[in-house]
Amino acid sequence: VKVFFIAILCILLTSFLFGQDETQYAGEFMAIGVGARPLGMGGTFAGLADDASTSYWNPAGLVNVKGVEVSSVKLTTKMNELDTKYTYVNLVYNAGDDVGSFGVSWLRQAIADIKLTDISGNIIAENTENADNAFYIAYGRYLVKGLSIGASLKILLGNYPALVYNSNSLNWEEAQISYNGFGFDIGLFLNAGDLVKELRGLALGVNVQDIYTTLNWDEVPGIAEATTEQVEINFKPGISYTLPIDQFKIVAAVDVDTKYQLIIHAGGEIWWNDMVAIRGGIKNWGEISVENLGSLQQESDWAIGGSIRWYFIGVDYAYVYNELAPTQYLSVI
């Protein structure tokens, strides 16, 4: 327990030292969340962290995955005339307590069918696309029985379409603005039942996302100068409790985000024989202060979903309601 609190203190100190001079909303595509199961519980997973998507939610939870697990989720949604594309693929391999657990994953979000027009409204290019990519390389292992630590290295690549005026041809031409970057997450996970048997079913987790994450934008003559943005740090603690009752297993969990404002995620699920599950959750946005507008608060998101497991194959589904664009997710495990 002493090691647990010392590790949390180190993370908080690191957060204070490196979490300065952030560029607000930089790297925002990484904040959506991954996996139909966690998203179906309102984005609650830092304190549960027991499937392959934990490379994103809390890398310390990699030790909770047994053997090898692979999962993927892909969707395309329509927003006005634009196609929003989302892909997440990951693999986790638990090599044993003495070696630790490894995870690799790829997150991609893109918007397609973007039209580029000049100042007169003439269409210069159609069907262009912007894309943000994050590659995660994660590792987790036990510090002591019941307490694990993990870290994720993120490699970031992205590109955005743009127009640049060619003074020689006196025409607008299609161009591209690109960036690359890297970042780190660090997590802790405590299975309280391994330390005190009366606390069996209780788990605590904390993931410090983007302890030091930067985006380095390339210079594009006539459009933008080279610049570096720093992603704002997010301290994400979570707690879960699992209660087995005969053939059923009831799970309740709560997470908190602190990146821009206090966001509370709460969710739960019910499993029957570890084969079929139903779940739901809510994401409650805190208030933000906007100059000349006062305090604003977004409508809460809510989610429902379910799972089926059969031998080594599983399917997770989630419907996530957001006032801007309700979305459906389907993960194959």
Side-chain angles (χ1 to χ4, degrees), residues 174-236:
E174 184 178 356
Q176 183 172 272
I177 304 176
S178 302
Y179 71 82
N180 63 76
F182 69 94
F184 300 95
D185 299 345
I186 292 181
L188 289 170
F189 187 87
L190 174 66
N191 190 338
D194 286 344
L195 302 179
V196 181
K197 63 180 181 179
E198 290 80 9
L199 297 178
R200 186 168 299 163
L202 179 66
L204 305 170
V206 58
N207 187 21
V208 185
Q209 296 175 315
D210 301 308
I211 289 180
Y212 185 75
T213 300
T214 60
L215 305 180
N216 304 303
W217 291 87
D218 296 336
E219 180 182 4
V220 180
I223 298 179
E225 298 179 355
T227 186
T228 298
E229 296 180 327
Q230 185 167 327
V231 179
E232 189 166 344
I233 195 168
N234 182 33
F235 182 72
K236 185 179 182 67

Side-chain angles (χ1 to χ4, degrees), residues 99-112:
V99 178
S101 300
F102 302 86
V104 291
S105 56
W106 169 46
L107 170 63
R108 182 179 190 269
Q109 180 176 288
I111 297 178

Side-chain angles (χ1 to χ4, degrees), residues 132-151:
D132 295 286
N133 296 273
F135 300 90
Y136 291 77
I137 302 172
Y139 175 75
R141 68 169 299 150
Y142 284 108
L143 290 173
V144 295
K145 182 182 179 180
L147 175 63
S148 59
I149 189 169

Side-chain angles (χ1 to χ4, degrees), residues 308-319:
I308 295 176
R309 299 286 187 271
W310 187 255
Y311 291 101
F312 60 90
I313 296 176
V315 176
D316 295 332
Y317 167 80
Y319 174 86

Side-chain angles (χ1 to χ4, degrees), residues 244-297:
I245 303 177
D246 296 328
Q247 295 178 310
F248 294 91
K249 183 171 66 177
I250 301 173
V251 181
V254 176
D255 277 13
V256 176
D257 283 323
T258 60
K259 189 170 185 178
Y260 304 126
Q261 74 248 47
L262 188 66
I263 301 176
I264 299 174
H265 309 256
E269 58 183 3
I270 301 175
W271 284 90
W272 174 74
N273 283 332
D274 289 327
M275 293 174 58
V276 179
I278 58 173
R279 63 181 55 88
I282 189 169
K283 180 179 181 180
N284 185 42
W285 303 80
E287 291 185 350
I288 59 173
S289 297
V290 180
E291 188 176 355
N292 300 323
L293 292 177
S295 296
L296 299 176
Q297 186 169 17

Side-chain angles (χ1 to χ4, degrees), residues 4-252:
F4 179 69
F5 286 109
I6 291 172
I8 288 180
L9 182 61
C10 292
I11 288 176
L12 289 174
L13 179 60
T14 305
S15 303
F16 175 78
L17 292 176
F18 290 101
Q20 309 296 320
D21 300 323
E22 302 90 346
T23 305
Q24 195 170 27
Y25 306 119
E28 186 63 11
F29 77 100
M30 294 183 289
I32 296 173
V34 301
R37 181 179 168 221
L39 293 173
M41 289 191 288
T44 303
F45 215 62
L48 190 54
D50 61 357
D51 70 18
S53 68
T54 193
S55 297
Y56 168 90
W57 295 101
N58 185 353
L62 291 170
V63 299
N64 298 322
V65 178
K66 307 305 179 185
V68 178
E69 184 170 321
V70 179
S71 68
S72 66
V73 55
K74 182 178 178 65
L75 63 88
T76 300
T77 60
K78 198 80 172 179
M79 185 181 296
N80 296 324
E81 297 181 356
L82 301 176
D83 284 328
T84 301
K85 301 178 180 180
Y86 171 97
T87 302
Y88 181 69
V89 181
N90 61 337
L91 180 148
V92 170
Y93 170 55
N94 189 332
D97 294 349
D98 294 335
V99 178
S101 300
F102 302 86
V104 291
S105 56
W106 169 46
L107 170 63
R108 182 179 190 269
Q109 180 176 288
I111 297 178
D113 295 331
I114 301 173
K115 295 180 181 179
L116 301 181
T117 60
D118 61 18
I119 57 177
S120 300
N122 300 312
I123 297 176
I124 306 301
E126 294 189 81
N127 303 320
T128 63
E129 180 180 271
N130 78 312
D132 295 286
N133 296 273
F135 300 90
Y136 291 77
I137 302 172
Y139 175 75
R141 68 169 299 150
Y142 284 108
L143 290 173
V144 295
K145 182 182 179 180
L147 175 63
S148 59
I149 189 169
S152 289
L153 166 65
K154 295 183 283 193
I155 301 171
L156 308 174
L157 298 170
N159 57 78
Y160 286 75
L163 290 178
V164 61
Y165 187 72
N166 188 325
S167 58
N168 294 323
S169 64
L170 303 180
N171 290 318
W172 289 91
E173 298 177 352
E174 184 178 356
Q176 183 172 272
I177 304 176
S178 302
Y179 71 82
N180 63 76
F182 69 94
F184 300 95
D185 299 345
I186 292 181
L188 289 170
F189 187 87
L190 174 66
N191 190 338
D194 286 344
L195 302 179
V196 181
K197 63 180 181 179
E198 290 80 9
L199 297 178
R200 186 168 299 163
L202 179 66
L204 305 170
V206 58
N207 187 21
V208 185
Q209 296 175 315
D210 301 308
I211 289 180
Y212 185 75
T213 300
T214 60
L215 305 180
N216 304 303
W217 291 87
D218 296 336
E219 180 182 4
V220 180
I223 298 179
E225 298 179 355
T227 186
T228 298
E229 296 180 327
Q230 185 167 327
V231 179
E232 189 166 344
I233 195 168
N234 182 33
F235 182 72
K236 185 179 182 67
I239 184 171
S240 71
Y241 185 74
T242 301
L243 176 65
I245 303 177
D246 296 328
Q247 295 178 310
F248 294 91
K249 183 171 66 177
I250 301 173
V251 181

